[in-house]
Amino acid sequence: FDGEFGGFSDDGQRLAIFAKSNDNTRLYDRLGNEIASFDGKFGGFSDDGQQLAISSFSDGAFLTQIYDNFGNEIASSDGMFIGFSNDMQRFVTALDHFDFGHIRLYDSFGKEIANFSGAFSGFSDSGQRLVINNRLYDNFGNEIASFEGSFRDFSNDGQRFVTSSSPNSDGTTQLYDNFGKKIARFDGSFSGFSDDGQRLAIFSESSNNTRLYTHFGEEIAKFDGEFSGFSDDGQRFAIYSSKDKS
């Protein structure tokens, strides 16, 4: 292919190639057959691989167009594409490359639902929540709660999210439910949720230990060493430690 690889769809059936020379994106099937050509830069595939986003610039403004995986246009919206929600019911755009402080939320047909002042941090995996700056919103743009600290991540089930009050490992981590109610506060940095959302790990650099908690904030166990990751089923996890820290 001529151009830069943009990405595969998650189902592996499509891939996108972007050519800087003519600001053009081409969509191919997995056998290398060209399906469609678009003016603009590839923004990403939806999680189900059925849609893709293209952002273009014309007459001093960005435009985002949503297509199905056969190249048919579904929606056209103002702004530069940022991301799809995991349920494919919503997507967000920013004003332009240099202004991510003005965010628009659209439904899957390109109808504007809400606009926000602030930086977009992410959708929950369920697609029912999104975070702008230090505020939690539902997928209709209604503010649910504000919170302390910097947003870090949602649990995969969308029922919890965590924030951090310090960028280093000896800061604090706050755990919230999806209505913005604070459940717990931990000393240390957030290391990860289990995939089922039932567990989370907190690491303290100063004491070089990891603590395992339930999604209600109850401590289950403490380990010497740094958390490395949960297994996909959430039933196992790994801790790395070294006797020689020099």
Side-chain angles (χ1 to χ4, degrees), residues 177-209:
D177 68 16
N178 66 352
F179 292 97
K181 179 182 177 182
K182 186 189 288 188
I183 298 171
R185 178 183 179 277
F186 313 106
D187 292 327
S189 65
F190 171 71
S191 296
F193 281 111
S194 60
D195 276 6
D196 60 5
Q198 301 300 301
R199 301 288 187 267
L200 68 152
I202 302 293
F203 173 67
S204 171
E205 186 173 21
S206 61
S207 57
N208 191 39
N209 67 53

Side-chain angles (χ1 to χ4, degrees), residues 156-231:
N156 284 355
D157 61 2
Q159 300 302 305
R160 300 289 189 266
F161 68 95
V162 291
T163 69
S164 174
S165 61
S166 174
N168 61 54
S169 296
D170 287 327
T172 58
T173 295
Q174 289 77 227
L175 175 68
Y176 294 86
D177 68 16
N178 66 352
F179 292 97
K181 179 182 177 182
K182 186 189 288 188
I183 298 171
R185 178 183 179 277
F186 313 106
D187 292 327
S189 65
F190 171 71
S191 296
F193 281 111
S194 60
D195 276 6
D196 60 5
Q198 301 300 301
R199 301 288 187 267
L200 68 152
I202 302 293
F203 173 67
S204 171
E205 186 173 21
S206 61
S207 57
N208 191 39
N209 67 53
T210 295
R211 294 176 186 265
L212 181 68
Y213 295 90
T214 70
H215 67 311
F216 292 106
E218 300 161 338
E219 184 174 329
I220 299 172
K222 176 183 174 182
F223 312 93
D224 291 332
E226 186 171 358
F227 176 79
S228 296
F230 284 105
S231 60

Side-chain angles (χ1 to χ4, degrees), residues 43-65:
F45 285 105
S46 59
D47 277 9
D48 64 358
Q50 301 301 303
Q51 297 178 9
L52 67 149
I54 303 292
S55 289
S56 57
F57 186 79
S58 179
D59 298 326
F62 277 94
L63 178 70
T64 289
Q65 291 165 290

